[in-house]
Amino acid sequence: MKRTIKYLGLLILVILIILAIVLAYIGGSPIPSYATADFEYEASHTPGMIARGAKLSSMLCSSCHMNRETGRLTGGPMKDVPPDWGTVYTPNITRDDIYGIGEWTDAELLYLLRTGIKKDGQYSPPYMAKLPKMADDDLDAIISFLRSDHISVQAQAVPDQPSDPSFMVKMLCRIAFKPFDMPDARIEMPDTSNRLEFGEYLAHNLECFSCHSADFATNNYLEPTLSKGYFAGGNKPLDPEGRIMLTSNLTPHKETGIGNWTRRQFINTLRLGIKEGEEGLRFPMMAYTMLTEHEAGSIYDYLMTIPAIENKVERSVY
Ligand code: HEC
Ligand code: HEC
């Protein structure tokens, strides 16, 4: 009996030592790396595509990479990451060859935006956007914009500040977060005159669903409609002071969603960031001034067709 207890104690000690070694290994090792881009790709770089890319990136990239002091995408501290994720800085993505992404090929950019794998093979944690479902043409537009002479991406020699992701982020990047696969076929744009199809595309690819469903952790980025509490709000992004900003229920539920909103009311709120008789919409929600009436209206038309979910979300007030 005594002997069994002795062996058991020894076994537990060995397990603890192994666990400590594994944890120390994860804590001390970088975020994992994967195979790099192995295909040829050249974006179209036409003026029309560049303009379209500028518009898309003002909605999808600027919130993190734009630096107010330089007026360009030179990056800076990301204040709205949860404190237990560590400190995160966004890098300089202007065309600077040394400090920016001047040396990246179009294929490397496409690969990063689709899969989350950077030029050097390292996986980019979830605080960097990934666009696994966006149409090829829209990605082509974003890449054309990044390589253009547009003022916000002109080369500027601002060095990156190193991020210090927490142990938890590093561990999750080993066990939970994995890169997305490159799609095996082209992803076509939906028919933009079909308001429901176009609205769904925008609601998914402008990341509305990602903030407006139950939780980032239970979102399904490959099949957004399967996300927990799809569009029923209650997710908890942070404001720049690190306070929770509950997201609104955008399902057509009459009492707790936007079922009683008119199309006009929705378009105005979305594009101007205003709410009748209330304080305007606050960060991280932005005023989508760049969306056309047709785009904003299509999102509304689509949202009116999704399942209504009863979920009362009180607006965060500070
Ligand atoms: C929520 C914040 C956020 C958004 C939105 C975002 N990024 Fe990033 N991005 C980051 C962070 C943080 C990193 C650094 C990731 C890392 O450390 O691996 C990064 C890395 C990058 C890199 C790699 C640069 C390098 O030098 O390693 C590129 C390129 C990039 N982002 C482009 C974009 C584009 C294009 C968009 C819009 C489609 C975008 N990002 C949207 C936060 C963001
Ligand atoms: C980064 C997270 C985030 C993204 C992306 C986002 N939202 Fe929001 N949204 C919020 C938050 C947070 C609020 C609440 C803001 C407040 O209380 O001031 C909000 C509020 C709203 C409201 C007001 C609803 C109400 O009941 O008051 C509408 C409408 C809305 N968002 C639509 C959209 C659409 C459409 C998109 C995509 C084009 C989108 N949002 C993308 C976070 C986000």
Side-chain angles (χ1 to χ4, degrees), residues 57 60-65 78 88-93 99-101 104 109 112-113 118 122-125 127-129 131 142 146 160 163 207:
S57 69
L60 289 170
C61 322
S62 296
S63 58
C64 290
H65 288 280
M78 239 182 102
V88 181
Y89 293 88
T90 62
N92 181 342
I93 58 165
Y99 300 109
I101 54 168
W104 288 52
L109 284 170
L112 167 69
L113 293 173
K118 294 185 281 189
Q122 197 183 52
Y123 175 66
S124 195
Y127 35 71
M128 160 61 189
L131 306 168
I142 293 175
L146 291 171
D160 290 345
S163 294
E207 309 214 311

Side-chain angles (χ1 to χ4, degrees), residues 286-307:
M286 63 172 181
Y288 286 83
T289 48
M290 49 310 258
L291 288 178
T292 62
E293 288 269 323
H294 174 64
E295 289 165 333
S298 297
I299 297 177
Y300 174 84
D301 294 338
Y302 169 67
L303 290 175
M304 286 302 127
T305 68
I306 67 174

